[in-house]
Amino acid sequence: MTLSPARVPVAAPGVRRLTATLYGYSFLDEFVLLYPVYTLLFADTGLSVGQMSSLFVLWSATGVLLEVPSGAWADAVSRRLLLWLGPLLGAAGFALWVFVPSYWAFAAGFVLWGARGAMGSGALEALVYEELERLGAADRYARIMGRAQAAGQVAVMTAMALAGPVFAAYGYPAVGAASVLACLLCAATATRFPEHRGPATAVPDGEGWAASLRSGLGEARRDRSVRGALLLVPAVAAIWGTLDEYTPLLARDTGAADATIPYLLVMIWAGVTAGSLLAGPAERLGRRGFAALLTASALALAAGAGAGTPAGLALVAVAFGGFQLATVLADARLQQRIEGTGRATLTSVAGLGTELATITVYGTYAQLASTTAHGTAFALLAVPYLLVALLVAPRR
């Protein structure tokens, strides 16, 4: 791993501009009033849990197909370009969902949403890390990305809090229109990201996309520590990221009224936000501490989801906070181990692993939920985290 240049003051103009744009982008990227109610929209349109899971699989499959190519494109062309194109696709997808609700409109929307996610995955992390490295502040990456994700989670909670009264007063068209507007503002914010592709980071002229892809994958083949970091990201992020899609159904199973479900989801996302904000202090956790974090989070998830009461969702919030913290730390460790020009490509490879694992979890959840309660399915899917903790923990 290369040493970072001397740390610059936090108030340096370049760092200030980067972080202000990043936090604004992260907030608008997640300020989607549809988030807490779109599974309810699917159910009200007549979709079964199996059909919903098939849509989620299509969403992830789109990411699988586009994740690595979009990362290589970001390395070869411009990370900022992909960051403003992506939200425009999301806006189109949300408009389809609300104004022509049907299974096929939902499917088309998920394809657009999957493309949006693939464009941002890898490009954002690579742009932020290399801009910080250029400014001599790469050691602040985990803290800054944790705060950026916290800004996104605050946006999710704000959207959830607003979704209840807006939905009650005006229905799905209003929450859909607000979501489309947020996407358009997010795209406008992305155009303000700084991007300096100097000789140390740019792909050589004339080699383009294919060279970016070869460079990134070649580093993963050569460096065992990079391969380990690539595997850790999906091992941590996939399961809880998938379960998040089913939390409205878990909340409904506790007996909560539909109008109160967004507020219960706010509580869960408050836990996720706390996990993001702890990324800076927790950055020096060793393997033993990281394994303990995963174990405690898994146990909290199983106990909270299995309780079957609204109060039990408080433990789910604690668990999701722990998993979010572990996800930020896993990404930071990956960025620290990448030394070549294919940073966005390799980050996208980690994203590809997450998408593949996510598809498996969607299928598993559909099978579990068809025979058990949602709380039982959540509890059973906490078990793989205990296995990951055993693999991460240092051997005697």
Side-chain angles (χ1 to χ4, degrees), residues 9-111:
V10 69
V15 176
R16 227 178 13 244
R17 178 190 171 188
L18 174 64
T19 54
T21 305
L22 174 64
Y23 299 157
Y25 179 87
S26 299
F27 183 91
L28 291 167
D29 191 42
E30 298 290 352
F31 188 63
V32 178
L33 270 65
L34 272 170
Y35 280 172
V37 298
Y38 72 77
T39 52
L40 304 180
L41 171 63
F42 298 164
D44 291 343
T45 307
L47 271 62
S48 66
V49 172
Q51 287 176 309
M52 289 186 228
S53 294
S54 72
L55 291 173
F56 296 150
V57 169
L58 177 63
W59 184 16
S60 293
T62 303
V64 167
L65 292 175
L66 299 180
E67 186 78 43
V68 175
S70 67
W73 185 22
D75 281 329
V77 183
S78 167
R79 283 109 186 228
R80 182 171 55 199
L81 172 65
L82 271 66
L83 292 177
W84 67 258
L85 279 178
L88 297 181
L89 298 181
F94 294 149
L96 281 174
W97 284 4
V98 173
F99 298 113
V100 284
S102 66
Y103 179 85
W104 296 109
F106 297 148
F110 268 121
V111 169

Side-chain angles (χ1 to χ4, degrees), residues 259-311:
T260 64
I261 287 175
Y263 302 106
L264 293 174
L265 299 183
V266 167
M267 177 179 66
I268 293 176
W269 278 92
V272 177
T273 303
S276 295
L277 293 174
L278 289 171
E283 190 173 8
R284 289 181 174 80
L285 274 180
R287 293 178 61 182
R288 188 182 303 278
F290 194 87
L293 173 65
L294 290 179
T295 300
S297 301
L299 295 176
L301 177 62
T309 65

